[in-house]
Amino acid sequence: MTERKPPGVSFESWVDKQIREAEARGEFTELAGAGRPLPAVTDAPYDELWWIKRKMAREGLSVLPPTLALRKEAEDALAAAAAAPSEGAVRRIVEAVNAKIREVMFKPPPGPPLGLKPYDVEEIVRDWRERRET
């Protein structure tokens, strides 16, 4: 629909004509979602980003504030350290996450406080050794 509304024609009748012609050409057949009910309307307030949130949920994406993402990364690092094949690997994993924690501690990013301090590498290595011995 690239043509302009002709002067002297009411907007409503011009739009109705455009729709009627498009229907006649079959432009409304086989549209995505045809025959399915509309999404339920909730009592939630209007959110301008509703479509982005729905797309992210459909794609399985999530965006965390940097500090929360680092907390998750620190948990994953501890789990990876516990399953590491060697003491050297444990040290590398913990030292890498400690560097990120220190960086956030000294220049806090936006979002909730981190609430973490660097891990004691020797303590984690000692725990790793103890789990290996049993």
Side-chain angles (χ1 to χ4, degrees), residues 87 91 122 124-134:
E87 185 177 317
R91 290 180 185 280
E122 297 306 320
I124 293 173
V125 168
R126 187 172 45 255
D127 291 345
W128 177 84
R129 283 186 193 138
E130 288 173 3
R131 280 192 302 277
R132 290 286 206 179
E133 292 172 1
T134 58

